[in-house]
Amino acid sequence: MVDLIAPGKKAMPKLRAIAQSSGFMLIAGGAFFGFFMGRIVILDFLNPFSMALLCASMINGVSPYVICTSILAGSFSLNSPELLLKNIILIFVLLFFYLIIKRTRLNKKMFFSIFAPLANLTAGIFIFYIKDYYLYDMLMIIIESVMMCALINIYDKSVSFFINIKKRTKISAEEIISASLLITSAFLGASVHIWQLSVKNIISISIILLLSHFGNIGTGAASGTVFGVLQALSGDIYPSAIGVYGICGVLAAAFKPYGRFMSVLGFILGNAVMTFYINGSTEVLIRLEEILAAALIFMLIPDKKIEKLFSHKWGYTAASSRKKGEESRVKDYTVERLSEISQVFRELSVSMSAGLGGKEYFSQLDAAEILEKVVRDVCHGCGMYNTCWKKEFYGTYQKMFNALSEIESGNYDERDKGIKIINKCLFPEKVWSRLKYHYDIYRHTIAWKKKVDSSRHALSRQMQETSKLISGLANKFNANLEFDKELEEEIAVHMDKLGIGLEDVTVVVDKYSTEIDIRHKNCKGKKECMNKLLPEIRNITGKHFVKYDAACALSGRDTCTLRLREAHKYCIATGIARMQKNSSSVSGDNYSMMELKDGKFFMILSDGMGSGPRAAMESGMALNLLERFLIAGYDQNTALEAVNSLLLIKSDDENYATVDMTIINQYNGEVEFLKAGAVSTFIKYEDHVDIIKNSSLPAGILDKIDVEFNRRKIGDGDFVVMITDGVLEANAKDLDKEKWLGDMIYNIDTRNPKKMADAIMENCLQKSKGQRTDDMTVLVAKLWKSA
């Protein structure tokens, strides 16, 4: 006895391990689903479900032999020779091609999605050909083939999910619905009853209750409607009653905050209301006994098991929702603070501009003030004071005012010292001297006030522009960014299938591009982001992405971050040629090229007044300021206004710098030209040269800068050529210098931007016979389409 029992005790754990192994579960599940799907018959003689399951198993590498045997057994149990014959033909054909392509790199999903429906259509036509058939039968076969194509794609997700369910940590809503369809499809065949209760209906109701209670109202409605459609296909309910399951799912989800019992009550209430509405009687559409049996199953499932399933597997959605909620609160707070700061700068701008724009002429009040000072300095101590300023006040005032007018106009002879103007005065030279002294003080005071007012005005405008910038940032924060939630979920689930754990995925769709931010587990320096993530994202989206920013955590951190931006449609190659007016001097031309985050490429060229160090300083300062403003987020017009204001207040004497700006959008090939005093820019197309002309003044001359704006479209292989005025001045003979240079650019036969810039410079030097009247700079940019 002992010897017989002992081996049994040792064998039990092994048998239990085998029964619990994933391989055994797959075989058992395949046999179960294959048998019951082989028994399905809808619309009198259609069964697209069984062959769709077989194709899905082949696509995912599951051994199809057990499923084939189970399908044939299920078909045989229906006693339908036509269905059995068709399934035998399809199974042998599909197995034959499966053995051929299983080790190839052929896309199995695409192959079976096309081949299986065609094979089904061919087999159906053959079977109906050897027996009598009607046009209706042919139409049904076509419908069955179309349904098979759709079901293959649905079951593919379900089978893949069940194969990797232990490894998976994230499940998409699409996979949940697909898995539910697969499970319910198994019960579409001949109904199995226990004590006159339909097992199919009980399982369907149980799944609806689970999804409604642990999902949301949308999940409840979707699951209820799907199961209602399946019940209608199986012939258990009328098509008009499909909505009953959907309403029951909605009410079960709506009552879930009050517990499981209330979810069940919501389902029963929905069934009762819809029954009375549709039938107008008390004959229920869903039997109460089946609802109670499903409710018992629903109530007995432990909370821990269900919560673990739904919270862990749906963790991406829940975490993403919480994250979006937290980000929304942070965004609202940020917008509020930025708006307050913007308002502060706006009020400062108003305060700084208050009182500006005062008089710029010499008024009688100013003259009276000067005369009063002169009288106080000279006349009060004079013995003729009473005679001049009491007895002859008006005459004396008029004579003093005329003298002041002569000083203000400058029409006087310094040798007169005012003697002819101020007669009967005991101290005419002293009066004249004090008048001139106080007027000079007044004039210098006015000049400095104008300078201060100009500075205040410039500062006020800068504060106003800063206020606009901060307000624009607030609007950007407050703007409803377009998040592609479907792509976020698809990326998360796809990576989860590959065993790559992503903590968070954010996909932002912009006007021209898509940006993807990913946080994933620390890969210990294996460069998973480049080796796995980037190629897979390219496969998912069908677009080319480049790594815009990344932070790898080699130690001390649990997560890495990866930011991807959609690759530019166009790339830019540049060439530069420069020549100073004097070989020993410094060029007064300065240039800058930079690419900003939004895919815009800036080419900026500035020419200072004259040549040499002073001109270089002016143009260099203009360029440096423009770069800083653009990088900080100012738009190009605001940046030019800021540079113009700063050039105005920088020094006392006249100084200016031309600004020539070209902005190329690398996503669509649009080019914007902004010019302030700059010479023409040239666009070389394949068959002609376009000239962008300018007639505005440089920056630093007028208080309000006059900027000329043009826009063009360029494409693959086109050139943009920017120059300074020294290049045009190399041709002293031709009146139409732009046409001369345009013809020269068109005739240069090279596709290299550097060689083109050198060729333009060389031709200009030949035209001027080596004489350089000014600094010369040529910038060339070539646009080419990226792969």
Side-chain angles (χ1 to χ4, degrees), residues 22 48 68 128 164 244 323 328 390 489 518 535 654 657 663 675 711 741:
S22 58
C68 291
F128 284 113
N164 302 299
V244 176
K323 179 176 177 291
S328 178
K390 289 185 178 180
E489 186 176 275
I518 295 175
E654 182 182 288
I663 307 109
K675 293 179 175 293
R711 178 174 290 164
L741 188 57

Side-chain angles (χ1 to χ4, degrees), residues 42 69 93 100 122 124 200 213 215 219 243 282 344 381 426 464 494 645 666 741:
I42 62 172
T69 306
V93 171
I100 294 176
T122 305
K200 175 174 56 179
H213 186 74
T219 308
T282 56
V344 169
L426 298 179
Q464 185 179 10
H494 183 83
S645 300
Q666 297 181 83
L741 188 57

Side-chain angles (χ1 to χ4, degrees), residues 84 173 367 445 450:
L84 180 60
T445 302
K450 288 181 179 179

Side-chain angles (χ1 to χ4, degrees), residues 164-422:
N164 302 299
I165 189 168
K166 290 185 177 181
K167 300 177 183 178
R168 299 288 301 280
T169 59
K170 299 174 180 66
I171 302 175
S172 65
E174 189 178 29
E175 287 179 320
I176 294 169
I177 299 299
S178 299
S180 301
L181 281 171
L182 177 62
I183 294 172
T184 311
S185 298
F187 299 96
L188 286 179
S191 299
V192 178
H193 291 80
I194 299 177
W195 297 323
Q196 297 183 345
L197 300 178
S198 172
V199 175
K200 175 174 56 179
N201 292 350
I202 293 173
I203 293 177
S204 299
I205 296 168
S206 300
I207 295 175
I208 294 173
L209 287 171
L210 282 170
L211 294 176
S212 300
H213 186 74
F214 292 96
N216 51 38
I217 291 179
T219 308
S223 59
T225 304
V226 167
F227 285 108
V229 171
L230 293 176
Q231 294 281 26
L233 287 175
S234 64
D236 290 350
I237 62 172
Y238 293 107
S240 59
I242 291 174
V244 176
Y245 282 90
I247 295 297
C248 291
V250 168
L251 291 179
F255 281 52
K256 73 172 185 177
Y258 308 104
R260 292 198 193 189
F261 177 77
M262 292 304 294
S263 292
V264 174
L265 186 61
F267 193 98
I268 295 173
L269 181 62
N271 180 46
V273 171
M274 293 303 296
T275 295
F276 181 77
Y277 176 76
I278 294 175
N279 287 344
S281 64
T282 56
E283 183 181 352
V284 294
L285 296 172
I286 306 175
R287 293 181 61 188
L288 182 61
E289 295 87 348
E290 294 173 348
I291 296 176
L292 293 177
L296 181 63
I297 297 173
F298 171 63
M299 299 291 288
L300 290 177
I301 298 176
D303 286 335
K304 292 182 179 180
K305 294 288 184 182
I306 299 300
E307 289 176 1
K308 182 179 179 182
L309 171 66
F310 284 86
S311 63
H312 183 57
K313 298 295 183 183
W314 290 0
Y316 171 74
T317 304
S320 179
S321 299
R322 288 194 300 272
K323 179 176 177 291
K324 294 294 188 295
E326 293 171 359
E327 288 180 350
S328 178
R329 290 194 294 272
V330 173
K331 183 190 75 172
D332 293 340
Y333 175 77
T334 305
V335 169
E336 183 179 353
R337 294 293 297 135
L338 287 175
S339 299
E340 292 174 356
I341 296 172
S342 174
Q343 182 63 29
V344 169
F345 275 96
R346 189 178 298 111
E347 292 176 358
L348 285 173
S349 173
V350 173
S351 300
M352 291 295 296
S353 61
L356 296 179
K359 65 182 187 312
E360 297 182 0
Y361 57 90
F362 186 54
S363 67
Q364 287 189 358
L365 291 176
D366 298 324
E369 185 177 352
I370 293 174
L371 291 179
E372 184 180 351
K373 292 178 181 179
V374 172
V375 170
R376 187 171 59 248
D377 293 344
V378 180
C379 298
H380 274 184
C382 179
M384 296 292 292
Y385 176 77
N386 289 331
T387 302
C388 295
W389 291 105
K390 289 185 178 180
K391 294 180 180 181
E392 301 179 3
F393 173 80
Y394 292 105
T396 304
Y397 184 88
Q398 186 63 44
K399 292 175 183 178
M400 295 280 282
F401 186 82
N402 291 338
L404 185 60
S405 297
E406 291 290 333
I407 293 172
E408 189 268 338
S409 65
N411 298 324
Y412 63 89
D413 189 350
E414 187 65 28
R415 292 174 297 177
D416 293 340
K417 301 293 183 180
I419 295 174
K420 293 181 180 179
I421 300 172
I422 307 173

Side-chain angles (χ1 to χ4, degrees), residues 32-283:
F32 172 82
F33 283 106
F35 178 79
F36 282 99
M37 287 191 176
R39 290 175 53 83
I40 298 175
V41 176
I42 62 172
L43 300 176
D44 297 331
F45 57 86
L46 303 185
N47 180 6
F49 302 92
S50 57
M51 292 302 110
L53 176 65
L54 177 61
C55 291
S57 66
M58 292 177 176
I59 292 170
N60 288 277
V62 179
S63 178
Y65 305 109
V66 173
I67 297 176
C68 291
T69 306
S70 303
I71 290 173
L72 292 177
S75 302
F76 181 78
S77 66
L78 285 176
N79 195 23
S80 174
E82 292 84 0
L83 179 61
L84 180 60
L85 177 61
K86 189 179 74 166
N87 283 346
I88 290 173
I89 295 173
L90 287 175
I91 285 173
F92 276 103
V93 171
L94 293 175
L95 277 177
F96 174 77
F97 281 94
Y98 169 72
L99 294 174
I100 294 176
I101 69 169
K102 70 175 183 178
R103 297 187 182 278
T104 64
R105 294 185 178 181
L106 186 68
N107 189 326
K108 298 180 180 61
K109 183 177 181 179
M110 183 179 294
F111 174 79
F112 283 110
S113 297
I114 298 173
F115 178 74
L118 292 177
N120 180 76
L121 182 62
T122 305
I125 293 174
F126 171 73
I127 291 172
F128 284 113
Y129 178 77
I130 61 178
K131 59 176 294 186
D132 294 333
Y133 69 93
Y134 300 97
L135 183 61
Y136 171 80
D137 299 325
M138 293 299 300
L139 181 61
M140 289 297 102
I141 287 294
I142 294 174
I143 292 175
E144 182 184 36
S145 301
V146 173
M147 289 180 64
M148 185 180 296
C149 179
L151 287 170
I152 287 173
N153 289 274
I154 293 173
Y155 290 166
D156 169 57
K157 294 180 175 61
S158 305
V159 173
S160 174
F161 164 67
F162 284 119
I163 290 174
N164 302 299
I165 189 168
K166 290 185 177 181
K167 300 177 183 178
R168 299 288 301 280
T169 59
K170 299 174 180 66
I171 302 175
S172 65
E174 189 178 29
E175 287 179 320
I176 294 169
I177 299 299
S178 299
S180 301
L181 281 171
L182 177 62
I183 294 172
T184 311
S185 298
F187 299 96
L188 286 179
S191 299
V192 178
H193 291 80
I194 299 177
W195 297 323
Q196 297 183 345
L197 300 178
S198 172
V199 175
K200 175 174 56 179
N201 292 350
I202 293 173
I203 293 177
S204 299
I205 296 168
S206 300
I207 295 175
I208 294 173
L209 287 171
L210 282 170
L211 294 176
S212 300
H213 186 74
F214 292 96
N216 51 38
I217 291 179
T219 308
S223 59
T225 304
V226 167
F227 285 108
V229 171
L230 293 176
Q231 294 281 26
L233 287 175
S234 64
D236 290 350
I237 62 172
Y238 293 107
S240 59
I242 291 174
V244 176
Y245 282 90
I247 295 297
C248 291
V250 168
L251 291 179
F255 281 52
K256 73 172 185 177
Y258 308 104
R260 292 198 193 189
F261 177 77
M262 292 304 294
S263 292
V264 174
L265 186 61
F267 193 98
I268 295 173
L269 181 62
N271 180 46
V273 171
M274 293 303 296
T275 295
F276 181 77
Y277 176 76
I278 294 175
N279 287 344
S281 64
T282 56
E283 183 181 352

